[in-house]
Amino acid sequence: MPANTTASSGSTGSAGGGSRKKKGRRARLIVIVLVLALVAGIGYGTYWSVSTVRASYPQTNGTAQLAGLDSNVEVKRDSYGIPQIYADSDSDLFRAQGFVQAQDRFWEMDVRRHMTAGRLSEMFGSGQVETDSFLRTLGWRKVAQEEYDHVLSAETKKNLQSYADGVNAYLKGRDGKDISVEYAALGLTNDYKPVKWTPVDSVAWLKAMAWDLRGNMQDEIDRSLMTTRLDAKQIEDLYPPYPYDKHKPIVSEGGISTLTGKYDPQAAPSDGVGSSTAQGATEGLTTQLGALSDTLDEIPSLLGPNGTGIGSNSWVVSGKYTTTNKPLLANDPHLAPQLPSLWYQMGLHCRSVSATCKYDTAGYTFSGMPGVIIGHNQDVAWGFTNLGADVTDLFLEKVSADGYQYDGKVKPFVTREETIKVAGGRDRHITVRETNNGPLVSDRSSELEKVGQKAPVTNAAPDRADGYGVALKWTALEPGKSMDAVFELNRAKDFTSFRAAAEHFEVPSQNLIYADTKGHIGYQAPGKIPVRKSGDGTMPSPGWSSAYGWKKDPIPFDELPYEYDPKRGYIVTANQAVVDEKKYPYMLTKDWGYGTRSQRINDLIQSKIKGGGKISTDDMQKMQMDNTSEIAALLVPELMKINISDKDVREAQKLLEGWDYTQESDSAAAAYFNAVWRNILKLAFGDKLPKEMRVKGECLNVPPAKSSGPLDEQDRLVRECGQRAPDSAQPDGGDRWYQVVENLMDKPDSDWWKTSANRKDKATGNREELFARAMKDARWELTAKLGKDITTWNWGRLHQLTLKNQTLGTEGPGLLQRVLNRGPWNLGGGEAAVDATGWNAAGGYEVVWVPSMRMVVNVGDWDKSRWINLTGASGHAFSAHYTDQTDKWVNGELLDWSYGTNAVTGSTTDTLTLKP
């Protein structure tokens, strides 16, 4: 046993109780299956024993020593392994949090810190060098170090150090195989050994979070790529204005006060000043942006792919409209499915809240980070959704070996050398070059070509002759105080202290909703959001001109939108526009989510209120599972009008008769409609997009880019294959595409509805003909996937969720993947539904993002709150708590959420006492 841990009683893992005995038997069976599988061999001439598999299970009962504690700390776990920690000082609380999270999730924490530092190659070898090179160029770890050294408060740094001390106390004396079975697998090919945790490892995770919630960078790339195939009007068609007339923004009242210059929820709406729409030059940019897009696909997307259907839901309802007479608050962030889930549920409780022990909070956090990210304390509750502010811009740079051009002069690059250590291989060395607009990200792809004198650019030789490079300007590359904000949110007592915390939550920019025990509800848009000198951020800008770029200061916090007890009695955020751009003087973004989910939630709340009813906790839970398809409501009436002669297609069409547009897992109508929708998008738009945006491997015979007129000479056609990963290709089918199609419905003869064979001949046809073709193609696509008998069809068989263990569950040997991964599960829900089990229409029907957790907070009566995680508390692949919440999550169930001391005691099944 490790030197720092001494068990005096109890056992490792959970014990006791009928259901827990069943879980224990199931876990033992899984262990036996694992051992048999590994004895059969995974190609390394060795196998793991049962003791190897079980060595990493956490101790959850009895006592254990934890060096550095001032007094005893209790860790109480319920039947799902969710820990609640009780301590007498802040330092003890966060030291114990680090210890407990390392018990359950250290493999996940270790992989994550290597990713944020650009050091994956140290664990997994040369296949990660390109990813590491790109992440080193962004410099997440460097910025996190600067934050820790120069920006964060002394109290935050103390808490971070306590957390790190707890993690390291757990690691002390343990070999990799004693920490996680994945280390045992890694040890078959690599001599990697975990090293100590540092406070900066925790801070750097916020950069990864900010990266995946960075806003419209992919849209900026895509619009530029479209210029090779589409004209300006066509691109405008595919990026329509936000529909303010039918989808309400979050904040519908107030504006910038003419008296104070601050945002005032009671002020008259501001007169929008707009912004220049001047665009940067894009000549010769296609190669760079296409390669950059490929590079983005390779970056581990811990939070999920980007897209207009992706986001999160949160809403809060005032007590005047609830059965509890206190606010109810719901939140379900939509992120990439992964195993274990990104979220970690826990409670952090000071036995007595005082100046030396300030916390009594519970909710969801990230393994590797102290504090709670989303949840509540004894006074207030809060939730997050992605605001989607445009905080990244790409700049074209005129570069040479001597530097980059700026206002007619050549300025030298700021450079730094980075060494990438590679497991089992030689070190790699790269030079990172930065302009005044940020790092030159175009240096980091071997596929890039120079414009003008073109020559390959590789990681080994970053310097090049004249050509356009691409630099990234991003608010998260500047040190900030977001880690301070986490602790401040956890201690907030009222809306004033909540807003003070929000002011420090600079990246990623989030919609923050609020409720308190006094009955107040609120909203705050925080974040470091740039003010542009020129342009609107929708296309790359010329970096060689000082007329572009960002002004020195971002939008002042006091001028960011917020609401407090709005008259309507509720607030909904689901990635829609925050405020009508015509009534607000700053540009937040041009690429909002289009408001389908948010409006559905608004409508559900309104229907309950207008009917004279009050909203209960059960109602909030049911709303989270609403799976109505808004695009089906638009299209099905038109699809039913089409005269279909083919009896097999007509048979499928009849599935849509009387369908209520809900997407239950067992619905044949949902399966067929979504297949029709996918084929409409492919025929109308997908086949017209450039190869850089289409699914990798799907090929078309096409004329050269921007060739005009029909082509009669077959030899002038080019075989062109898609280049993008299936989960990020276009058209993805999100609610931007809902709006695109809705705008075209009254234009049945639009060129978008016309099709041609491989782009060779002049496009012909109309909307009805294209819809008929899509219905036919969908019929035979589902026949191939589900069988000819439509009575066996259902949406869940197409729309499946498979949970994949990090790294080894996706990159390891096939047998190892099968042992570590879980699923599939057949799901209901769908794209841009409230129950947002997202799928990419260009790539297929597989679930690629999900409500990663769900919670309904019963403000003031905290023990009647409910929550669920996608997987379970444990990151150990054969623990009873690996995926023990998943079945309930699939069925829309929530677990009781104990918070008060008596409730936690009543739900406790294991208690571990940590002693100094």
Side-chain angles (χ1 to χ4, degrees), residues 20 58 63-64 71 209 266 290 309 373 411 419 429 464 471 681 817 835 897:
R20 295 174 59 232
T63 62
S71 58
M209 183 179 173
Q266 308 303 321
I373 305 299
K411 299 187 67 173
T419 299
H429 304 278
R464 348 180 256 188
L681 292 169
Q817 291 188 36
D835 182 19
W897 179 355

Side-chain angles (χ1 to χ4, degrees), residues 496-517:
T496 299
S497 54
F498 174 80
R499 291 192 70 216
E503 183 172 4
H504 290 153
F505 206 95
E506 297 168 336
V507 293
S509 187
Q510 299 287 286
N511 296 308
L512 297 183
I513 60 167
Y514 166 93
D516 64 35
T517 54

Side-chain angles (χ1 to χ4, degrees), residues 278-336:
Q279 301 299 331
T282 59
E283 295 86 351
L285 185 61
T286 304
T287 305
Q288 278 85 342
L289 291 178
L292 176 58
S293 183
D294 292 343
T295 302
L296 298 182
D297 279 341
E298 298 302 319
I299 304 304
S301 189
L302 290 182
L303 303 187
N306 277 318
T308 53
I310 305 168
S312 305
N313 302 321
S314 71
W315 64 96
V316 60
V317 181
S318 168
K320 67 180 178 181
Y321 293 128
T322 68
T323 58
T324 65
N325 296 317
K326 289 287 182 70
L328 294 174
L329 184 150
N331 197 186
D332 56 286
H334 307 156
L335 306 171

